[in-house]
Amino acid sequence: MRYCINCCIHLLPNDLHKQCFRCRGPNHNNQKCPVCKGENKVPLYTDSKQMKLLAVLEVRTDHSESWNGFFCLRKGKLCSLIFGLIIMTLVMASYILTGAKHGLMLVPSPFHYGAFTSNPSLMDNESLSDVKDHYQPSKMNISYVKDYPSIKLIIDTITSKIEFITRQRPDLEELRKQEPHMFSVIPNKFLPNSKNPCWYEEYRGNTTTDPYATNSYALYSKRFRTIFDYLRKVFWNHLYHYKDKHYRLRCLPHFYIIGQPKCGTTDLYDRLRLHPDVRFSAIKEPHWWTRKRFGIIRLRDGFHDRYPVEDYLDLFDLAAHQIQGVLQSEAAKERGKMNNIIIGRASASTMWDNNAWIFFYDNSTEGEPPFLIQDFIHAFQPNAKLIIMLRDPVERLYSDYLYFASANKSAEDFHEKVAESLQLFENCMLDYSLRACVYNNTLNNAMPVRLQVGLYVVYLLDWLTVFDKDQILVLRLEDHASNVKYTMQMVFQFLDLGPLSEKQEALITKSPASNTRRPEDRSLGPMLPTTKAILKDFYRPFNTKLAQVLFDDAFLWKRT
């Protein structure tokens, strides 16, 4: 748009304002004109741009004006021009500062879900900046607090794409081809006089041989070296000698606590350890099935040598020594006494973390993993028992954020991360199946918060494709917190554990809760009400399906 600066009349392009001497054409002379004499009028142009708050003002000299006229501007005009620019700068700075403070700036998310990647340098816990290059800018703006309708549209899109499709279970021969060494080490039959799955394996070393010299857990984890130092000292004493050969007792867990993170699995683990017939692996969360067998030590460090199955079995040697003590006792030999000691293993990643599959199994179908952890566990232990502890996924996500976020934690920051994660998840769902998005390593790395961990029913249905329903016990943290004694009795009954004395039961049920929220995290307060409403909308269809599968409306979490 073009205006005459003398009388502020709007001019069309190339139009001359005849009523004004200033606009009479190229032959007009300011010095001779009775109106313009002594003045150096500068026409003002405004280039209108589509901005919400400010327009960009640009001052130009008329092309018909000589350069001499420009340099003859009076000091007053120069001061006015400079003053205007300062005012414009201050207004823009005020907009930026207040907009950032109150969440009003509509900044496009730098992430857009792109193609699946097979770059092995991307690990689960890498920082968000490490995977930004794999995503394109998104077209949708998300603002916390005032943009609930836009976020609700994202959730509606996700909900419309949800399909719970039963996965195709791989056959045993396919599994053998994928892990031939594992199948060569673990037998398909176990000792008949032991409740826990155990077997004898010939040991070919001598008294000077270090049986744990190459164990990856001992080599890469300083905190486990004390355990392995003890195992070295007592190892030879626990070998079984038969016909000039030495045998060691090998064991797998009888039951698995498989999930979920921030749902009370640590508390359940600590209480079960107090039962006289329960033993656990030397370390609580070995993460062998989900990470170590693929060579993942610290996710941010990439891949290392893969941990062989022998290293995993070494973690159960302490418990195996005690089981062997029962089997070799005089009472057991004479009366055929059954060993009732059982071993458990607790890794909260087991239920959901199949992110590494994309780097090792290339025969996927439309981005879905062809093999899952449960396929292999079932192949070796079709009678294994599984325990799952869940909680309201909305509260689980906030607890997860408070536990793993390292800096700048706040309810507002959590809201922004939720909004961005929802947008990334929606972008994936537009092109891929629910299962493909849930198990996709790149997407899960890019999301600032772990939304996918709360999609309990997706994982549960996949575990139910290989294990019977009566082999899986699903508990709620809310019930456990309100009545520890009741939930522990359910667990004891599920595992067929023997009766306890009143003193033993009191010790287990009255112990203080483990792994509770840290004081500094409690001081941050609850999440924003808007965030809670958004997450409830997102998780609602998944909770509804979960309640249907378990025939229990408590898993709708309507009261929380």
Side-chain angles (χ1 to χ4, degrees):
M1 290 182 291
R2 186 168 178 266
Y3 295 85
C4 174
I5 198 169
N6 291 285
C7 53
C8 299
I9 294 179
H10 177 205
L11 301 180
L12 297 175
N14 301 320
D15 186 21
L16 293 177
H17 177 35
K18 302 298 183 181
Q19 288 78 15
C20 178
F21 289 97
R22 173 66 184 84
C23 304
R24 291 182 175 177
N27 296 324
H28 181 74
N29 191 312
N30 283 350
Q31 302 299 325
K32 297 179 181 181
C33 178
V35 176
C36 304
K37 186 174 182 181
E39 301 289 341
N40 189 13
K41 305 292 185 181
V42 182
L44 182 66
Y45 298 86
T46 303
D47 296 334
S48 179
K49 296 185 179 180
Q50 295 180 357
M51 295 185 66
K52 292 187 177 181
L53 297 180
L54 298 174
V56 179
L57 300 178
E58 182 178 354
V59 178
R60 305 172 182 167
T61 58
D62 193 296
H63 296 294
S64 62
E65 189 77 11
S66 66
W67 284 100
N68 292 332
F70 177 80
F71 290 110
C72 291
L73 280 171
R74 291 182 176 181
K75 292 183 179 179
K77 296 295 182 181
L78 282 173
C79 292
S80 298
L81 178 62
I82 294 171
F83 180 76
L85 291 174
I86 292 174
I87 293 297
M88 184 176 67
T89 303
L90 291 174
V91 171
M92 182 63 75
S94 175
Y95 162 66
I96 293 173
L97 293 174
T98 58
K101 180 179 180 180
H102 299 291
L104 300 176
M105 295 192 67
L106 304 181
V107 182
S109 170
F111 300 98
H112 181 75
Y113 189 80
F116 285 89
T117 180
S118 59
N119 185 351
S121 66
L122 299 178
M123 294 293 100
D124 291 353
N125 284 358
E126 283 181 333
S127 63
L128 202 56
S129 60
D130 295 332
V131 291
K132 283 184 179 178
D133 294 339
H134 295 267
Y135 293 83
Q136 301 171 354
S138 174
K139 296 180 181 179
M140 180 172 288
N141 297 323
I142 292 183
S143 163
Y144 79 89
V145 179
K146 291 191 176 182
D147 205 21
Y148 176 78
S150 297
I151 301 176
K152 185 64 169 65
L153 288 176
I154 292 176
I155 296 172
D156 291 342
T157 301
I158 294 172
T159 302
S160 68
K161 297 290 183 179
I162 294 174
E163 288 185 279
F164 298 104
I165 301 174
T166 304
R167 68 181 287 262
Q168 185 67 35
R169 177 178 167 180
D171 59 41
L172 186 60
E173 286 306 312
E174 290 179 297
L175 298 175
R176 289 181 182 275
K177 290 178 182 178
Q178 295 298 323
E179 299 286 354
H181 178 68
M182 197 187 306
F183 278 90
S184 69
V185 172
I186 301 176
N188 54 14
K189 291 183 180 181
F190 305 114
L191 295 176
N193 57 339
S194 175
K195 182 178 177 180
N196 196 86
C198 298
W199 69 98
Y200 281 107
E201 172 187 282
E202 184 179 354
Y203 178 70
R204 302 180 184 277
N206 53 45
T207 54
T208 61
T209 304
D210 180 2
Y212 305 106
T214 60
N215 186 286
S216 300
Y217 286 99
L219 292 174
Y220 297 118
S221 303
K222 292 182 179 179
R223 61 193 180 102
F224 303 141
R225 289 176 185 172
T226 302
I227 297 172
F228 284 102
D229 285 343
Y230 172 78
L231 286 172
R232 289 185 183 94
K233 294 177 181 178
V234 301
F235 179 80
W236 193 259
N237 297 332
H238 292 281
L239 289 178
Y240 176 58
H241 308 282
Y242 181 72
K243 292 184 178 180
D244 298 327
K245 291 184 178 181
H246 307 296
Y247 297 87
R248 65 188 296 187
L249 188 68
R250 288 292 206 180
C251 296
L252 284 170
H254 173 72
F255 70 95
Y256 297 80
I257 300 175
I258 63 174
Q260 289 285 63
K262 309 312 298 176
C263 289
T265 55
T266 299
D267 187 73
L268 179 61
Y269 163 82
D270 285 339
R271 295 182 192 280
L272 271 173
R273 289 174 62 195
L274 300 176
H275 195 287
D277 290 338
V278 175
R279 303 292 183 273
F280 275 93
S281 55
I283 55 178
K284 176 181 176 284
E285 294 188 290
H287 295 298
W288 185 79
W289 284 106
T290 55
R291 301 168 190 173
K292 300 298 191 292
R293 69 187 178 105
F294 296 111
I296 303 170
I297 300 175
R298 295 180 182 85
L299 300 176
R300 64 180 179 270
D301 296 337
F303 288 96
H304 296 258
D305 294 335
R306 300 177 69 173
Y307 288 33
V309 66
E310 291 89 345
D311 291 2
Y312 174 63
L313 295 175
D314 287 347
L315 300 179
F316 305 106
D317 277 2
L318 279 174
H321 293 167
Q322 297 182 49
I323 292 175
Q324 185 180 7
V326 174
L327 295 176
Q328 297 299 316
S329 66
E330 293 299 323
K333 293 178 180 179
E334 294 175 4
R335 306 171 193 173
K337 182 181 178 182
M338 183 81 173
N339 163 60
N340 289 318
I341 294 177
I342 59 173
I343 303 174
R345 201 222 61 190
S347 287
S349 63
T350 308
M351 182 177 179
W352 63 274
D353 189 354
N354 278 278
N355 290 331
W357 73 267
I358 197 169
F359 305 113
F360 295 91
Y361 307 136
D362 55 3
N363 56 336
S364 63
T365 303
E366 297 181 352
E368 295 187 8
F371 309 104
L372 296 176
I373 293 166
Q374 52 265 41
D375 298 329
F376 294 98
I377 294 179
H378 183 269
F380 300 120
Q381 296 178 259
N383 299 318
K385 294 196 173 186
L386 312 169
I387 300 176
I388 302 170
M389 182 84 86
L390 305 177
R391 73 188 290 189
D392 181 353
V394 176
E395 298 298 334
R396 192 220 70 81
L397 187 65
Y398 190 49
S399 179
D400 196 71
Y401 162 79
L402 293 177
Y403 186 81
F404 288 106
S406 57
N408 302 320
K409 290 185 285 188
S410 68
E412 292 78 13
D413 180 65
F414 176 66
H415 182 101
E416 292 176 350
K417 286 178 167 56
V418 167
E420 189 170 346
S421 299
L422 283 169
Q423 187 174 356
L424 290 170
F425 197 80
E426 178 210 23
N427 291 336
C428 178
M429 290 288 288
L430 292 174
D431 298 320
Y432 297 95
S433 69
L434 175 61
R435 183 178 291 109
C437 293
V438 165
Y439 289 123
N440 181 255
N441 178 67
T442 306
L443 171 64
N444 293 339
N445 283 334
M447 288 194 295
V449 290
R450 302 193 294 183
L451 283 175
Q452 79 283 6
V453 178
L455 306 181
Y456 307 139
V457 70
V458 179
Y459 306 110
L460 179 60
L461 288 173
D462 283 349
W463 281 83
L464 286 172
T465 61
V466 291
F467 286 97
D468 293 335
K469 202 169 185 179
D470 60 2
Q471 292 178 257
I472 304 177
L473 175 64
V474 184
L475 305 170
R476 295 194 331 146
L477 175 60
E478 293 82 358
D479 300 329
H480 180 67
S482 63
N483 193 338
V484 173
K485 184 176 181 178
Y486 176 73
T487 56
M488 294 309 298
Q489 287 176 345
M490 288 181 63
V491 173
F492 297 155
Q493 183 178 0
F494 176 70
L495 298 176
D496 297 320
L497 293 172
L500 295 171
S501 66
E502 290 185 7
K503 185 177 181 180
Q504 289 173 324
E505 187 174 285
L507 178 64
I508 293 173
T509 59
K510 294 183 179 180
S511 298
S514 302
N515 201 21
T516 55
R517 186 170 294 179
R518 295 169 296 207
E520 60 270 25
D521 291 338
R522 286 199 297 269
S523 65
L524 295 175
M527 70 184 82
L528 298 175
T530 304
T531 316
K532 192 168 188 176
I534 288 168
L535 289 172
K536 279 187 173 294
D537 288 342
F538 171 68
Y539 285 118
R540 184 174 293 112
F542 300 99
N543 293 343
T544 300
K545 182 66 175 179
L546 178 64
Q548 293 172 356
V549 172
L550 297 175
F551 300 102
D552 189 347
D553 286 346
F555 289 94
L556 294 171
W557 283 286
K558 287 185 176 180
R559 297 182 181 179
T560 57

